[in-house]
Structure formats: C-alpha cells, structure tokens
Amino acid sequence: MSDELQDVISAVLVLTGAVMCLAAGIGVIRFPDVLSRLHAATKPQIFGLMAITADVAVNNFTVGTVTLVIAIVVFQALTAPVAAHMVSRAAYDSHRVRVDVLVIDELGTRPD
Amino acid sequence: MQIVAVIAGVLFGAGALCALYRIVRGPTVLDRVIASDVLVATVICAMGAEMAFNRHTDTLPVLLVLALFAVLGSLSVARFLPVRDTE
Amino acid sequence: MSTPKRRLTTFLNQVPLFLGLVLLWMLLWGAFSWLNVLTGILLAAVVSVGFYLPAVQLGLRLNPWFTLLYLARLGFDIVRGSLQVAALALSPRYTPSNAIVAVHLRTRSDFILTLTGVSTSIVPGAIVVDVDRVRSTLYLHVLNVHRPEQVERFRNGVLAEEHRIVMALGSREDVERLRQVSGEDRSEQNQRARDQHAREKRKRKGST
C-alpha cells in the first residue's frame, strides 16, 4: 500500500518535471525575442527541478540527500536570475529587443 | 512505473530537441546561449528522474556541479559579447 | 584610520558570510566531521582574504516570523510563476505582448535591492534588464502584458515583494522609511476620499 502510494507520488513528481522541461523547450521555440525566451528558459525549470529533486529526496530520505537537494535548488534559484539579467542586458544594449511586441518601454524613455 | 518512465523520457527528449532546434536555428548568439541553458536544465532534470526511478543517489553531486556551473557559459558570453555583432 | 570599534563591526559583518562558507563546504561533503570543519574554516579564510569583495551592509537584523512568511510566499510564487510561463508556452492562442517597466523601490540598501531583483525574477513575471543603484530603480521585462492596468498591478506586486523582504531582513531605517511612505500614501488616500465625499455632497445639494 505504502509502496504503491510512493510510486504514485514519484510518478506525479517526475511527470510534472518532465512537462515543465517540455514547456521550457516549446517556449524557447515559440516566444518571439530574446527577452521573452529568457522567461521560458528560467522559470519553468526551477519548478521542474524542485519536483524532481523532491522526488529523489522522498525516495531516499537521509540528511545527506536532503541537504544536497536543497543546495541544488538554492543554487539554481540564485544563479538563474543572475545569468538571465546578464543576457537580457546584453540583448537590450545591443538592440536585439523586438520593440513592436513591447507595450511600454520605460527603460528607453528614462530620464538621464 | 515502466509506462511513466517511457512518457517522461519522451517529454524530456522532446524538450531537449526543442532546445537543440533553437541552438541550430537561433538568429543570434544570445538565443543559442539561452537554448543551451535550457538543454543543460533538461539534462539535469532527466538525470534526476533517472535517480528517482532507480532509487539511488549516485549522480546527485553531478547535479550540484551542473547547477553551479551551467551559469558560467551564459555569463561569459553575455559579458564578452562584441557589440559589433549586432547588425 | 580605523578605530578598534569600527574594525570590530566590519568583522561582525563578515561573520555570517564566513559561517555560510563553512556550512557550504560541509554540505558539499555531505557529512559532518571535525576534519571537514577544520578544512572548511581554512578554505573560508583563504576565500574571504584571497577573493576580497566590498562588504555588504547586512544590517544584522532578522525577523524570523516575517522571514518565514517571505519564504513561504516565495515558494508559492515560484510554483505559480513556473506554471504561468509553462501555460503560456503551451497555450495555442498566444500573442506576444511584453513591457519593460521601471519600478522605483523605496529602500536605499543594495542588499534589499539585489534580493528584490532576484526574487522578482523567479516569481511570476519579470527579468531584470537594468538596475539603477542611485535611484534604486529596477527595470524589469514583463511577459504577456496587454493593458496598462496590468502594468500597475505588476508594479504593486513588486513593491509588495520589497515590503515583505524589508520586513524580514531590512534594517530598522528601511522599515521606518517604508512606514513613512505608506503613511503618506494613506494620508493622501484619506485626503482624496474626503475630497470625493465633499464633491458628492455638493453634487447632492446642487441636485436637490
């Protein structure tokens, strides 16, 4: 019984992570410019990674595993925004942003 | 459980293929960098899923290293991107 | 140049980061042993001397309850943001429409500014395009914005995030500033409400 329950939880978590990865891939293809693609590249993965590493931790519940899993998620959560910021600034500075899909651009009109 | 493994494998594969497509096509360097980030994240997730299925934790340190160093690629490209590459 | 007292404060400021490095080292080994502690301390010393960075003013204040609240909300927001972006990527009727929004934060602390930027990039919505440290302004790229109201709602969301972070970790000065600003807001709102009330009264008088 409890073994079956564990299987179900495991399956749900892994499938969630897989769907998130697929969504990231599709987003990277479908979104129109660099900045939008960055959204697809940073966000769904964090949740996917959380789901899958949570699954690993549930299957093997020891102090070492849990701390390592937390470290992995924290690092990913801290480093992804930094990389995204660097790439987005490079994109904006080199005018690779599609202005036609922007409703407002308050960076372009800022006071100097 | 076998079926779940196959479905998850197909989803991961499709995600990785999407990222690969963007790496090959991507109009600019930045697009390729983003797509390669997605590819690394997909690999991380797939390795995690493999661990979950086979009930071991052997590749957990590898995940940690990948999570730490996956950033370096996009960071350095964004940092040293030549401006003349724009047009 | 530096009095002993000031040197002590800079030292105390470094202690949490130092301990964090030691903890990280033990975490990487996945085990607690005295050898690990020793090598960890040694390495942390080498790192903090060899790769010297300008010290961050941490403020040395931490409200456990608000920190817990912030972390819980952050976790919830991460899940929500991931699901939103995933749904957007998979939805068949997706039309691209984005915005770059400037958000003026009320804090003057680099630490809070950074933390707010990182948190808003992993929760629904935004990627930091540029940061203006002097004006403590974040320029954020927001996905899927169609109408101006959505921009305002997003801006309020970021300010709420900043509020939570300041309540959890901000210095006393920042909390004070936040209270002042929201107090001004409130008095302004009250003023507006009173004006509205008076206008309606006048209107009613005029109609009768």
Side-chain angles (χ1 to χ4, degrees), chain A residues 20 23 26-27 30-32 35-36 38-39 43-44 46-47 50 67 71 75 77 81 85 88-89 92 101-107 110-111, chain C residues 24 27 78-79 82-83 86 89-92 94 96-102 121-123 125-129 135 139 141 143 145 151 155:
Chain A
M20 286 295 138
I26 292 176
R30 280 187 71 196
F31 287 169
L35 288 181
S36 324
L38 267 174
H39 283 273
K43 259 160 245 147
I46 289 182
F47 183 43
M50 276 160 79
T67 46
F75 280 134
H85 163 60
S88 68
R89 200 171 58 180
Y92 193 90
V101 292
L102 285 180
V103 181
I104 323 180
D105 179 6
E106 291 180 347
L107 183 57
R110 69 173 151 177
Chain C
L24 174 64
L27 215 139
I78 288 175
V79 173
S82 292
L83 289 178
L90 297 177
S91 92
Y94 164 69
S97 171
N98 309 321
I100 294 182
V101 182
S121 338
I122 47 178
V123 305
I127 279 174
V128 182
V129 181
R135 297 196 189 87
Y139 293 94
H141 180 260
L143 200 62
V145 172
V151 174
R155 213 191 300 264

Short mmCIF file of all heavy atoms in Angstrom, two decimals, chain A residues 20 23 26-27 30-32 35-36 38-39 43-44 46-47 50 67 71 75 77 81 85 88-89 92 101-107 110-111, chain C residues 24 27 78-79 82-83 86 89-92 94 96-102 121-123 125-129 135 139 141 143 145 151 155:
data_model
loop_
_atom_site.label_atom_id
_atom_site.label_comp_id
_atom_site.label_asym_id
_atom_site.label_seq_id
_atom_site.Cartn_x
_atom_site.Cartn_y
_atom_site.Cartn_z
N MET A 20 7.34 20.40 -17.35
CA MET A 20 7.96 21.73 -17.24
C MET A 20 9.13 21.86 -18.22
O MET A 20 9.29 22.91 -18.86
CB MET A 20 8.47 21.94 -15.81
CG MET A 20 7.37 22.19 -14.81
SD MET A 20 6.52 23.70 -15.14
CE MET A 20 4.85 23.22 -14.85
N ALA A 23 7.75 22.34 -21.61
CA ALA A 23 7.20 23.69 -21.76
C ALA A 23 8.33 24.69 -21.99
O ALA A 23 8.20 25.60 -22.83
CB ALA A 23 6.41 24.07 -20.52
N ILE A 26 9.45 24.31 -25.63
CA ILE A 26 8.49 24.88 -26.56
C ILE A 26 8.49 26.41 -26.45
O ILE A 26 8.43 27.11 -27.47
CB ILE A 26 7.08 24.31 -26.28
CG1 ILE A 26 7.07 22.83 -26.66
CG2 ILE A 26 6.03 25.05 -27.08
CD1 ILE A 26 5.78 22.15 -26.36
N GLY A 27 8.59 26.91 -25.23
CA GLY A 27 8.65 28.36 -25.05
C GLY A 27 9.84 28.96 -25.76
O GLY A 27 9.73 30.01 -26.40
N ARG A 30 8.81 29.12 -29.34
CA ARG A 30 7.66 29.93 -29.78
C ARG A 30 7.78 31.41 -29.47
O ARG A 30 7.19 32.24 -30.18
CB ARG A 30 6.38 29.40 -29.12
CG ARG A 30 5.83 28.17 -29.79
CD ARG A 30 4.51 27.83 -29.19
NE ARG A 30 3.45 28.77 -29.55
CZ ARG A 30 2.30 28.86 -28.93
NH1 ARG A 30 2.04 28.08 -27.91
NH2 ARG A 30 1.39 29.73 -29.31
N PHE A 31 8.46 31.77 -28.37
CA PHE A 31 8.46 33.16 -27.97
C PHE A 31 9.25 34.00 -28.98
O PHE A 31 10.24 33.53 -29.54
CB PHE A 31 9.03 33.32 -26.56
CG PHE A 31 8.10 32.85 -25.50
CD1 PHE A 31 8.51 32.68 -24.19
CD2 PHE A 31 6.77 32.54 -25.81
CE1 PHE A 31 7.63 32.24 -23.21
CE2 PHE A 31 5.90 32.10 -24.83
CZ PHE A 31 6.33 31.95 -23.54
N PRO A 32 8.83 35.24 -29.17
CA PRO A 32 9.33 35.99 -30.33
C PRO A 32 10.73 36.58 -30.21
O PRO A 32 11.40 36.73 -31.21
CB PRO A 32 8.29 37.11 -30.49
CG PRO A 32 7.77 37.30 -29.12
CD PRO A 32 7.76 35.96 -28.48
N LEU A 35 14.36 38.39 -24.99
CA LEU A 35 13.91 38.60 -23.62
C LEU A 35 12.78 37.65 -23.25
O LEU A 35 12.76 37.10 -22.15
CB LEU A 35 13.46 40.06 -23.46
CG LEU A 35 14.59 41.08 -23.44
CD1 LEU A 35 14.05 42.47 -23.24
CD2 LEU A 35 15.57 40.76 -22.34
N SER A 36 11.84 37.42 -24.17
CA SER A 36 10.75 36.50 -23.85
C SER A 36 11.28 35.09 -23.70
O SER A 36 10.84 34.34 -22.82
CB SER A 36 9.69 36.52 -24.93
OG SER A 36 9.54 37.79 -25.46
N LEU A 38 14.07 34.25 -22.60
CA LEU A 38 14.72 34.13 -21.30
C LEU A 38 13.72 33.72 -20.22
O LEU A 38 14.04 32.93 -19.34
CB LEU A 38 15.32 35.47 -20.90
CG LEU A 38 16.77 35.68 -21.26
CD1 LEU A 38 17.15 37.09 -20.94
CD2 LEU A 38 17.63 34.72 -20.50
N HIS A 39 12.51 34.26 -20.31
CA HIS A 39 11.48 33.87 -19.35
C HIS A 39 11.26 32.37 -19.41
O HIS A 39 11.23 31.69 -18.38
CB HIS A 39 10.15 34.55 -19.67
CG HIS A 39 10.11 35.98 -19.25
ND1 HIS A 39 9.73 36.38 -18.00
CD2 HIS A 39 10.39 37.10 -19.92
CE1 HIS A 39 9.79 37.69 -17.93
NE2 HIS A 39 10.18 38.16 -19.08
N LYS A 43 12.13 30.17 -15.89
CA LYS A 43 11.11 29.88 -14.88
C LYS A 43 10.62 28.45 -14.78
O LYS A 43 10.67 27.90 -13.68
CB LYS A 43 9.95 30.84 -15.03
CG LYS A 43 10.08 31.92 -13.99
CD LYS A 43 9.31 33.14 -14.31
CE LYS A 43 10.26 34.29 -14.53
NZ LYS A 43 9.77 35.21 -15.52
N PRO A 44 10.14 27.84 -15.86
CA PRO A 44 9.56 26.51 -15.63
C PRO A 44 10.56 25.52 -15.04
O PRO A 44 10.21 24.67 -14.25
CB PRO A 44 9.11 26.06 -17.02
CG PRO A 44 8.99 27.30 -17.78
CD PRO A 44 10.03 28.21 -17.26
N ILE A 46 12.84 25.83 -12.77
CA ILE A 46 13.05 25.82 -11.32
C ILE A 46 12.00 24.94 -10.66
O ILE A 46 12.31 24.11 -9.81
CB ILE A 46 13.02 27.26 -10.77
CG1 ILE A 46 14.28 27.97 -11.23
CG2 ILE A 46 12.95 27.26 -9.28
CD1 ILE A 46 14.41 29.36 -10.73
N PHE A 47 10.77 25.08 -11.13
CA PHE A 47 9.71 24.24 -10.57
C PHE A 47 9.94 22.78 -10.94
O PHE A 47 9.79 21.88 -10.10
CB PHE A 47 8.35 24.72 -11.08
CG PHE A 47 7.21 23.95 -10.51
CD1 PHE A 47 7.18 23.62 -9.17
CD2 PHE A 47 6.15 23.57 -11.31
CE1 PHE A 47 6.12 22.91 -8.65
CE2 PHE A 47 5.09 22.87 -10.79
CZ PHE A 47 5.07 22.53 -9.46
N MET A 50 12.63 21.45 -8.82
CA MET A 50 12.14 21.24 -7.45
C MET A 50 11.36 19.94 -7.36
O MET A 50 11.55 19.15 -6.43
CB MET A 50 11.25 22.42 -7.04
CG MET A 50 12.02 23.61 -6.50
SD MET A 50 11.06 25.12 -6.56
CE MET A 50 10.04 24.95 -5.16
N THR A 67 19.98 17.65 2.29
CA THR A 67 20.77 18.89 2.26
C THR A 67 21.32 19.15 0.86
O THR A 67 21.30 20.27 0.37
CB THR A 67 21.92 18.85 3.26
OG1 THR A 67 22.57 17.59 3.13
CG2 THR A 67 21.45 19.07 4.65
N ALA A 71 20.59 22.31 -1.51
CA ALA A 71 21.67 23.11 -2.08
C ALA A 71 21.50 23.26 -3.58
O ALA A 71 21.67 24.36 -4.13
CB ALA A 71 23.02 22.47 -1.76
N PHE A 75 20.99 26.89 -5.32
CA PHE A 75 21.97 27.41 -6.29
C PHE A 75 21.30 27.74 -7.61
O PHE A 75 21.55 28.78 -8.21
CB PHE A 75 23.10 26.42 -6.50
CG PHE A 75 24.12 26.47 -5.41
CD1 PHE A 75 24.60 25.33 -4.82
CD2 PHE A 75 24.59 27.69 -4.97
CE1 PHE A 75 25.52 25.39 -3.80
CE2 PHE A 75 25.51 27.76 -3.95
CZ PHE A 75 25.98 26.60 -3.36
N ALA A 77 18.23 28.50 -8.08
CA ALA A 77 17.36 29.66 -7.92
C ALA A 77 18.16 30.95 -7.81
O ALA A 77 17.68 32.02 -8.20
CB ALA A 77 16.48 29.48 -6.68
N PRO A 81 18.58 33.78 -12.13
CA PRO A 81 18.27 35.19 -12.36
C PRO A 81 19.49 36.02 -12.74
O PRO A 81 19.38 36.94 -13.55
CB PRO A 81 17.71 35.65 -11.02
CG PRO A 81 17.25 34.44 -10.35
CD PRO A 81 18.17 33.36 -10.79
N HIS A 85 19.77 38.10 -16.08
CA HIS A 85 19.98 39.54 -16.09
C HIS A 85 21.12 39.91 -17.03
O HIS A 85 21.00 40.85 -17.84
CB HIS A 85 20.28 40.01 -14.68
CG HIS A 85 20.91 41.36 -14.64
ND1 HIS A 85 20.28 42.47 -15.16
CD2 HIS A 85 22.11 41.78 -14.19
CE1 HIS A 85 21.08 43.51 -15.00
NE2 HIS A 85 22.18 43.12 -14.44
N SER A 88 19.98 39.48 -20.60
CA SER A 88 18.97 40.45 -21.02
C SER A 88 19.59 41.83 -21.20
O SER A 88 19.23 42.57 -22.12
CB SER A 88 17.82 40.51 -20.02
OG SER A 88 18.26 41.06 -18.81
N ARG A 89 20.56 42.17 -20.35
CA ARG A 89 21.17 43.48 -20.52
C ARG A 89 22.00 43.53 -21.80
O ARG A 89 21.99 44.52 -22.52
CB ARG A 89 22.03 43.84 -19.32
CG ARG A 89 22.24 45.33 -19.27
CD ARG A 89 22.87 45.78 -18.02
NE ARG A 89 24.15 45.13 -17.82
CZ ARG A 89 24.94 45.35 -16.78
NH1 ARG A 89 24.56 46.20 -15.85
NH2 ARG A 89 26.08 44.74 -16.65
N TYR A 92 19.54 43.94 -24.55
CA TYR A 92 18.96 45.28 -24.66
C TYR A 92 19.99 46.28 -25.18
O TYR A 92 19.68 47.10 -26.04
CB TYR A 92 18.42 45.73 -23.30
CG TYR A 92 17.55 46.95 -23.42
CD1 TYR A 92 16.18 46.82 -23.62
CD2 TYR A 92 18.10 48.22 -23.37
CE1 TYR A 92 15.38 47.92 -23.77
CE2 TYR A 92 17.29 49.34 -23.52
CZ TYR A 92 15.95 49.18 -23.71
OH TYR A 92 15.15 50.27 -23.87
N VAL A 101 6.75 44.26 -30.05
CA VAL A 101 5.93 43.49 -29.12
C VAL A 101 5.95 44.09 -27.72
O VAL A 101 5.42 43.51 -26.78
CB VAL A 101 6.37 42.01 -29.04
CG1 VAL A 101 6.07 41.31 -30.34
CG2 VAL A 101 7.82 41.88 -28.68
N LEU A 102 6.54 45.29 -27.57
CA LEU A 102 6.55 45.94 -26.26
C LEU A 102 5.36 46.90 -26.16
O LEU A 102 5.14 47.71 -27.06
CB LEU A 102 7.84 46.72 -26.06
CG LEU A 102 9.09 45.93 -25.75
CD1 LEU A 102 10.26 46.87 -25.58
CD2 LEU A 102 8.92 45.10 -24.50
N VAL A 103 4.62 46.81 -25.06
CA VAL A 103 3.53 47.76 -24.84
C VAL A 103 4.12 49.07 -24.33
O VAL A 103 3.81 50.15 -24.83
CB VAL A 103 2.53 47.20 -23.81
CG1 VAL A 103 1.40 48.20 -23.61
CG2 VAL A 103 1.99 45.88 -24.27
N ILE A 104 4.97 48.97 -23.31
CA ILE A 104 5.64 50.14 -22.75
C ILE A 104 7.12 49.83 -22.67
O ILE A 104 7.50 48.69 -22.43
CB ILE A 104 5.19 50.46 -21.31
CG1 ILE A 104 3.72 50.20 -21.11
CG2 ILE A 104 5.53 51.87 -20.94
CD1 ILE A 104 3.29 50.52 -19.70
N ASP A 105 7.96 50.82 -22.85
CA ASP A 105 9.38 50.64 -22.63
C ASP A 105 9.85 51.81 -21.78
O ASP A 105 10.19 52.87 -22.29
CB ASP A 105 10.12 50.58 -23.97
CG ASP A 105 11.60 50.42 -23.75
OD1 ASP A 105 12.00 50.23 -22.59
OD2 ASP A 105 12.35 50.47 -24.74
N GLU A 106 9.83 51.62 -20.47
CA GLU A 106 10.20 52.72 -19.58
C GLU A 106 11.70 52.84 -19.44
O GLU A 106 12.20 53.80 -18.89
CB GLU A 106 9.54 52.53 -18.21
CG GLU A 106 8.04 52.71 -18.28
CD GLU A 106 7.35 52.53 -16.95
OE1 GLU A 106 7.99 52.02 -16.02
OE2 GLU A 106 6.17 52.88 -16.86
N LEU A 107 12.45 51.85 -19.95
CA LEU A 107 13.89 51.97 -19.93
C LEU A 107 14.37 52.88 -21.05
O LEU A 107 15.33 53.62 -20.89
CB LEU A 107 14.53 50.57 -20.07
CG LEU A 107 16.04 50.49 -20.00
CD1 LEU A 107 16.55 51.08 -18.70
CD2 LEU A 107 16.50 49.06 -20.11
N ARG A 110 13.80 56.68 -20.03
CA ARG A 110 14.13 57.11 -18.68
C ARG A 110 14.86 58.45 -18.70
O ARG A 110 15.54 58.79 -19.67
CB ARG A 110 15.00 56.06 -17.99
CG ARG A 110 16.38 55.97 -18.59
CD ARG A 110 17.24 55.06 -17.79
NE ARG A 110 18.23 54.44 -18.65
CZ ARG A 110 19.16 53.63 -18.18
NH1 ARG A 110 19.17 53.32 -16.93
NH2 ARG A 110 20.04 53.11 -18.99
N PRO A 111 14.75 59.20 -17.61
CA PRO A 111 15.50 60.45 -17.52
C PRO A 111 16.96 60.17 -17.28
O PRO A 111 17.31 59.30 -16.49
CB PRO A 111 14.87 61.14 -16.31
CG PRO A 111 14.35 60.03 -15.47
CD PRO A 111 13.94 58.95 -16.41
N LEU C 24 28.64 25.61 3.72
CA LEU C 24 28.57 25.15 2.34
C LEU C 24 29.59 24.04 2.09
O LEU C 24 29.29 23.04 1.45
CB LEU C 24 28.83 26.34 1.41
CG LEU C 24 28.93 26.01 -0.08
CD1 LEU C 24 27.59 25.48 -0.56
CD2 LEU C 24 29.32 27.22 -0.86
N LEU C 27 28.41 20.94 3.51
CA LEU C 27 27.28 20.46 2.74
C LEU C 27 27.75 19.74 1.49
O LEU C 27 27.21 18.71 1.09
CB LEU C 27 26.44 21.68 2.36
CG LEU C 27 24.97 21.47 2.32
CD1 LEU C 27 24.30 22.66 2.94
CD2 LEU C 27 24.55 21.34 0.90
N ILE C 78 7.01 30.95 -6.77
CA ILE C 78 7.85 30.24 -7.75
C ILE C 78 6.99 29.24 -8.51
O ILE C 78 7.02 29.17 -9.74
CB ILE C 78 9.01 29.52 -7.04
CG1 ILE C 78 10.05 30.53 -6.57
CG2 ILE C 78 9.66 28.52 -7.98
CD1 ILE C 78 11.15 29.91 -5.76
N VAL C 79 6.19 28.48 -7.75
CA VAL C 79 5.35 27.47 -8.40
C VAL C 79 4.36 28.14 -9.34
O VAL C 79 4.19 27.75 -10.50
CB VAL C 79 4.61 26.64 -7.33
CG1 VAL C 79 3.61 25.71 -7.99
CG2 VAL C 79 5.60 25.85 -6.51
N SER C 82 6.14 29.53 -12.48
CA SER C 82 6.53 28.47 -13.40
C SER C 82 5.31 27.97 -14.16
O SER C 82 5.37 27.81 -15.39
CB SER C 82 7.14 27.31 -12.62
OG SER C 82 8.36 27.68 -12.07
N LEU C 83 4.22 27.75 -13.44
CA LEU C 83 3.02 27.23 -14.11
C LEU C 83 2.50 28.23 -15.13
O LEU C 83 2.08 27.85 -16.22
CB LEU C 83 1.94 26.90 -13.08
CG LEU C 83 2.25 25.68 -12.23
CD1 LEU C 83 1.15 25.45 -11.21
CD2 LEU C 83 2.41 24.44 -13.11
N ALA C 86 4.74 28.22 -18.19
CA ALA C 86 4.55 26.96 -18.90
C ALA C 86 3.22 26.97 -19.65
O ALA C 86 3.14 26.58 -20.82
CB ALA C 86 4.59 25.79 -17.91
N ALA C 89 3.49 29.10 -22.68
CA ALA C 89 4.25 28.48 -23.76
C ALA C 89 3.41 27.43 -24.48
O ALA C 89 3.55 27.24 -25.68
CB ALA C 89 5.53 27.85 -23.21
N LEU C 90 2.55 26.75 -23.72
CA LEU C 90 1.79 25.66 -24.32
C LEU C 90 0.46 26.11 -24.89
O LEU C 90 -0.15 25.37 -25.66
CB LEU C 90 1.54 24.56 -23.28
CG LEU C 90 2.78 23.89 -22.73
CD1 LEU C 90 2.43 22.87 -21.66
CD2 LEU C 90 3.54 23.19 -23.85
N SER C 91 -0.01 27.32 -24.53
CA SER C 91 -1.34 27.72 -24.95
C SER C 91 -1.35 28.02 -26.45
O SER C 91 -0.44 28.69 -26.96
CB SER C 91 -1.81 28.94 -24.17
OG SER C 91 -1.48 30.10 -24.86
N PRO C 92 -2.35 27.53 -27.17
CA PRO C 92 -2.37 27.71 -28.61
C PRO C 92 -2.64 29.15 -29.04
O PRO C 92 -2.25 29.55 -30.13
CB PRO C 92 -3.49 26.77 -29.07
CG PRO C 92 -4.33 26.55 -27.87
CD PRO C 92 -3.45 26.70 -26.68
N TYR C 94 -1.49 32.17 -28.22
CA TYR C 94 -0.54 33.07 -27.60
C TYR C 94 -0.18 34.19 -28.56
O TYR C 94 0.26 33.95 -29.67
CB TYR C 94 0.72 32.30 -27.20
CG TYR C 94 1.90 33.18 -26.89
CD1 TYR C 94 1.90 33.98 -25.76
CD2 TYR C 94 3.00 33.21 -27.73
CE1 TYR C 94 2.97 34.79 -25.48
CE2 TYR C 94 4.08 34.02 -27.46
CZ TYR C 94 4.06 34.80 -26.33
OH TYR C 94 5.13 35.61 -26.06
N PRO C 96 2.26 37.55 -28.69
CA PRO C 96 3.32 38.20 -27.92
C PRO C 96 2.98 39.66 -27.63
O PRO C 96 2.54 40.40 -28.52
CB PRO C 96 4.54 38.09 -28.84
CG PRO C 96 3.97 37.93 -30.20
CD PRO C 96 2.68 37.21 -30.05
N SER C 97 3.13 40.04 -26.39
CA SER C 97 2.93 41.43 -25.99
C SER C 97 3.61 41.62 -24.64
O SER C 97 3.15 41.10 -23.64
CB SER C 97 1.43 41.73 -25.89
OG SER C 97 1.24 42.99 -25.33
N ASN C 98 4.72 42.34 -24.64
CA ASN C 98 5.51 42.47 -23.42
C ASN C 98 5.66 43.92 -23.03
O ASN C 98 5.18 44.81 -23.71
CB ASN C 98 6.88 41.85 -23.63
CG ASN C 98 6.80 40.46 -24.18
OD1 ASN C 98 5.94 39.69 -23.79
ND2 ASN C 98 7.69 40.15 -25.10
N ALA C 99 6.35 44.14 -21.92
CA ALA C 99 6.59 45.50 -21.47
C ALA C 99 7.88 45.56 -20.69
O ALA C 99 8.28 44.57 -20.08
CB ALA C 99 5.44 46.00 -20.60
N ILE C 100 8.54 46.70 -20.73
CA ILE C 100 9.67 46.96 -19.82
C ILE C 100 9.21 48.03 -18.85
O ILE C 100 8.84 49.13 -19.25
CB ILE C 100 10.92 47.39 -20.58
CG1 ILE C 100 11.42 46.23 -21.45
CG2 ILE C 100 12.01 47.80 -19.60
CD1 ILE C 100 12.67 46.55 -22.21
N VAL C 101 9.18 47.67 -17.58
CA VAL C 101 8.59 48.52 -16.57
C VAL C 101 9.68 48.99 -15.61
O VAL C 101 10.53 48.19 -15.20
CB VAL C 101 7.52 47.74 -15.78
CG1 VAL C 101 6.86 48.63 -14.76
CG2 VAL C 101 6.50 47.15 -16.71
N ALA C 102 9.64 50.26 -15.25
CA ALA C 102 10.54 50.77 -14.22
C ALA C 102 9.82 50.74 -12.88
O ALA C 102 8.69 51.21 -12.78
CB ALA C 102 10.96 52.20 -14.55
N SER C 121 12.72 37.92 -10.22
CA SER C 121 12.99 37.17 -11.44
C SER C 121 12.58 35.72 -11.35
O SER C 121 12.45 35.09 -12.39
CB SER C 121 14.44 37.19 -11.85
OG SER C 121 15.13 38.22 -11.34
N ILE C 122 12.42 35.17 -10.15
CA ILE C 122 11.98 33.77 -10.14
C ILE C 122 10.49 33.63 -9.87
O ILE C 122 9.94 32.57 -10.05
CB ILE C 122 12.79 32.89 -9.17
CG1 ILE C 122 12.93 33.55 -7.83
CG2 ILE C 122 14.11 32.52 -9.74
CD1 ILE C 122 13.69 32.69 -6.85
N VAL C 123 9.82 34.69 -9.49
CA VAL C 123 8.37 34.59 -9.28
C VAL C 123 7.69 35.06 -10.57
O VAL C 123 8.35 35.43 -11.50
CB VAL C 123 7.92 35.42 -8.07
CG1 VAL C 123 8.68 35.01 -6.86
CG2 VAL C 123 8.04 36.88 -8.34
N GLY C 125 6.49 36.59 -13.68
CA GLY C 125 6.69 37.85 -14.35
C GLY C 125 8.02 38.20 -14.92
O GLY C 125 8.16 38.14 -16.09
N ALA C 126 8.99 38.56 -14.12
CA ALA C 126 9.91 39.54 -14.68
C ALA C 126 11.34 39.05 -14.78
O ALA C 126 11.74 38.10 -14.13
CB ALA C 126 9.90 40.78 -13.81
N ILE C 127 12.11 39.76 -15.63
CA ILE C 127 13.55 39.58 -15.69
C ILE C 127 14.17 40.96 -15.55
O ILE C 127 13.69 41.92 -16.15
CB ILE C 127 13.95 38.91 -17.01
CG1 ILE C 127 13.73 37.40 -16.89
CG2 ILE C 127 15.40 39.19 -17.35
CD1 ILE C 127 13.94 36.67 -18.14
N VAL C 128 15.20 41.05 -14.73
CA VAL C 128 15.83 42.35 -14.51
C VAL C 128 16.66 42.71 -15.74
O VAL C 128 17.60 42.01 -16.08
CB VAL C 128 16.73 42.30 -13.27
CG1 VAL C 128 17.34 43.65 -13.02
CG2 VAL C 128 15.95 41.84 -12.07
N VAL C 129 16.29 43.79 -16.42
CA VAL C 129 17.06 44.22 -17.58
C VAL C 129 18.17 45.18 -17.14
O VAL C 129 19.29 45.08 -17.59
CB VAL C 129 16.16 44.92 -18.61
CG1 VAL C 129 16.97 45.33 -19.82
CG2 VAL C 129 15.06 43.99 -19.05
N ARG C 135 19.15 55.60 -7.98
CA ARG C 135 17.73 55.87 -7.75
C ARG C 135 17.01 54.65 -7.19
O ARG C 135 15.79 54.67 -7.07
CB ARG C 135 17.07 56.26 -9.07
CG ARG C 135 17.62 57.55 -9.65
CD ARG C 135 16.67 58.09 -10.72
NE ARG C 135 17.29 59.21 -11.42
CZ ARG C 135 18.07 59.05 -12.50
NH1 ARG C 135 18.29 57.84 -12.99
NH2 ARG C 135 18.60 60.09 -13.09
N TYR C 139 14.63 47.98 -13.64
CA TYR C 139 13.95 47.94 -14.93
C TYR C 139 13.66 46.48 -15.26
O TYR C 139 14.59 45.69 -15.42
CB TYR C 139 14.81 48.59 -16.01
CG TYR C 139 14.97 50.07 -15.79
CD1 TYR C 139 16.06 50.56 -15.11
CD2 TYR C 139 14.01 50.95 -16.23
CE1 TYR C 139 16.20 51.92 -14.88
CE2 TYR C 139 14.13 52.31 -16.01
CZ TYR C 139 15.24 52.78 -15.33
OH TYR C 139 15.35 54.12 -15.12
N HIS C 141 11.62 43.34 -17.33
CA HIS C 141 10.91 42.93 -18.54
C HIS C 141 9.79 41.98 -18.13
O HIS C 141 10.03 40.99 -17.45
CB HIS C 141 11.87 42.21 -19.49
CG HIS C 141 11.21 41.76 -20.74
ND1 HIS C 141 10.81 40.46 -20.92
CD2 HIS C 141 10.88 42.42 -21.86
CE1 HIS C 141 10.26 40.35 -22.13
NE2 HIS C 141 10.30 41.53 -22.71
N LEU C 143 6.48 39.57 -19.13
CA LEU C 143 5.92 38.79 -20.21
C LEU C 143 4.40 38.94 -20.22
O LEU C 143 3.78 39.03 -19.15
CB LEU C 143 6.30 37.33 -19.99
CG LEU C 143 6.26 36.37 -21.16
CD1 LEU C 143 7.23 36.81 -22.23
CD2 LEU C 143 6.62 34.99 -20.68
N VAL C 145 1.96 41.22 -21.24
CA VAL C 145 1.24 42.38 -20.73
C VAL C 145 0.48 42.99 -21.90
O VAL C 145 1.06 43.25 -22.95
CB VAL C 145 2.21 43.42 -20.15
CG1 VAL C 145 1.47 44.69 -19.80
CG2 VAL C 145 2.91 42.88 -18.94
N VAL C 151 0.21 46.57 -15.99
CA VAL C 151 1.50 47.13 -15.59
C VAL C 151 1.43 47.62 -14.16
O VAL C 151 2.30 47.34 -13.34
CB VAL C 151 1.91 48.27 -16.54
CG1 VAL C 151 3.16 48.95 -16.04
CG2 VAL C 151 2.12 47.76 -17.93
N ARG C 155 3.51 46.36 -10.93
CA ARG C 155 4.35 47.26 -10.13
C ARG C 155 4.01 47.13 -8.65
O ARG C 155 4.90 47.04 -7.80
CB ARG C 155 4.13 48.69 -10.59
CG ARG C 155 5.34 49.57 -10.51
CD ARG C 155 4.98 51.00 -10.72
NE ARG C 155 4.36 51.27 -12.01
CZ ARG C 155 5.02 51.71 -13.07
NH1 ARG C 155 6.30 51.92 -12.98
NH2 ARG C 155 4.41 51.95 -14.19
#
